[in-house]
Amino acid sequence: MAKARTAVVTGSNSGIGLGIARALADEGMNVVINSFTDNEADHALAAEISRDAGNDTAYIKADMSDGEQCRALVAKAAERFGAVDILINNAGIQHVAPVEDFPAGKWDAILSINLSSAFHTAAAAVPMMRENGWGRVINLASAHGLTASPYKSAYVAAKHGMVGLTKVIALETAEDPITCNAICPGYVLTPLVEEQIPDTMKQYNLDRETVIRDILLERQPSKEFATTEQLGGTVIFLCSDHAAQITGTTISVDGGWTAL
Ligand code: NAD
């Protein structure tokens, strides 16, 4: 039997990262899930994924705002499973404020977690992929990697940077059996987004359905959220042989947002 591939998914104890980790586990891959915490719940989640998928999933703590910890995450995953074949750079945070009021600390945190972490993990993982003769680097950018919105200076800058980094890694690995692409989701109903709904309902005195359609999904023409399962499926496609010649590009999963 062929050896299972190993995937590292940064920021994956919730939301999109967790959906992607589950999809990779269901394909029988070894999976490393990650966040900056080290709770019983984090390790229980890894055990639950292993049980459900019949694969080997491990939780490894690493704070993606720290370059050394980003590199150590890849090294620890390789130590545990023998290699890192698939790297999913997913960890991300958000802060919303006009540029003149944007806290400098938040700018630095968003740039380091949403962008620089992908530089550090890729720098650690690409040499292993070259050595093993196969690899996939998939960066979670956003519709905000291709378009902008007011009050999201750091997030939009980091996500545009993520698209640029994707193109450079793709060119540097173009002659190797390695691809690097960015996925650009529109709105996805993760716990983070779900939490915003009650406050927005109160703020605008609107019902849940109207808040979702007219406020959250204002720029998403399908008027439907993308799902974590759809993003997991997109990752599985990009990891397949069918996608071997897809590199250095973006795949939008945004219900038509960037067609507007
Ligand atoms: P989420 O808050 O549910 O998940 C973020 C994950 O990152 C969590 O697991 C969290 O623990 C982890 N994380 C945060 N800071 C970290 C740090 N310092 N070190 C390690 N891990 C850290 O959010 P989500 O909606 O699932 O977002 C995941 C990615 O998808 C992000 O990069 C986000 O920008 C992107 N994205 C989300 C949406 C959306 O609508 N939800 C749309 C486009 C892009």
Side-chain angles (χ1 to χ4, degrees):
M1 205 173 91
K3 195 169 164 291
R5 298 210 194 273
T6 298
V8 172
V9 189
T10 71
S12 46
N13 64 354
S14 126
I16 294 171
L18 179 56
I20 291 171
R22 285 191 197 280
L24 290 162
D26 285 341
E27 293 292 307
M29 303 197 195
N30 303 318
V31 176
V32 171
I33 58 170
N34 150 266
S35 185
F36 56 90
T37 50
D38 200 11
N39 302 325
E40 242 174 68
D42 295 321
H43 295 276
L45 181 59
E48 179 207 307
I49 295 173
S50 298
R51 207 175 38 247
D52 290 351
N55 82 324
D56 194 350
T57 297
Y59 179 84
I60 299 180
K61 175 195 171 185
D63 186 338
M64 292 295 105
S65 67
D66 176 336
E68 288 305 314
Q69 292 192 40
C70 294
R71 289 168 191 257
L73 170 65
V74 173
K76 285 179 189 170
E79 209 174 288
R80 169 80 160 75
F81 289 112
V84 171
D85 307 295
I86 297 165
L87 170 65
I88 314 291
N89 287 308
N90 170 80
I93 59 167
Q94 175 63 290
H95 186 78
V96 179
V99 71
E100 63 272 29
D101 299 330
F102 210 93
K106 287 280 182 202
W107 170 275
D108 290 342
I110 291 176
L111 267 286
S112 64
I113 296 168
N114 296 24
L115 176 59
S116 300
S117 65
F119 155 67
H120 291 291
T121 54
V126 165
M128 291 180 196
M129 294 175 181
R130 278 211 180 95
E131 202 178 311
N132 292 329
W134 193 90
R136 295 284 189 265
V137 179
I138 300 172
N139 295 326
L140 265 290
S142 166
H144 282 115
L146 303 167
T147 64
S149 295
Y151 314 126
K152 295 185 176 176
S153 52
Y155 189 84
V156 170
K159 294 299 186 182
H160 276 68
M162 193 72 138
V163 172
L165 176 66
T166 299
K167 292 178 186 175
V168 173
I169 294 172
L171 291 179
E172 292 184 11
T173 57
E175 292 188 29
D176 300 298
I178 297 170
T179 67
C180 179
N181 293 289
I183 298 178
C184 295
Y187 253 110
V188 186
L189 192 53
T190 59
L192 195 81
V193 174
E194 181 66 52
E195 277 166 24
Q196 297 169 26
I197 296 175
D199 282 349
T200 316
M201 285 168 64
K202 257 191 241 151
Q203 194 184 341
Y204 292 95
N205 195 23
L206 294 171
D207 60 34
R208 180 183 162 86
E209 214 172 272
T210 312
V211 163
I212 289 176
R213 193 190 57 240
D214 294 348
I215 297 182
L216 292 183
L217 296 178
E218 189 204 348
R219 292 174 72 182
Q220 203 145 309
S222 66
K223 298 295 172 201
E224 282 185 32
F225 289 107
T227 66
T228 58
E229 289 79 9
Q230 289 160 356
L231 292 164
T234 307
V235 163
I236 299 305
F237 167 66
L238 286 172
C239 290
S240 74
D241 290 341
H242 296 294
Q245 284 301 315
I246 299 176
T247 196
T249 194
T250 57
I251 297 193
S252 291
V253 184
D254 68 0
W257 178 328
T258 43
L260 277 174

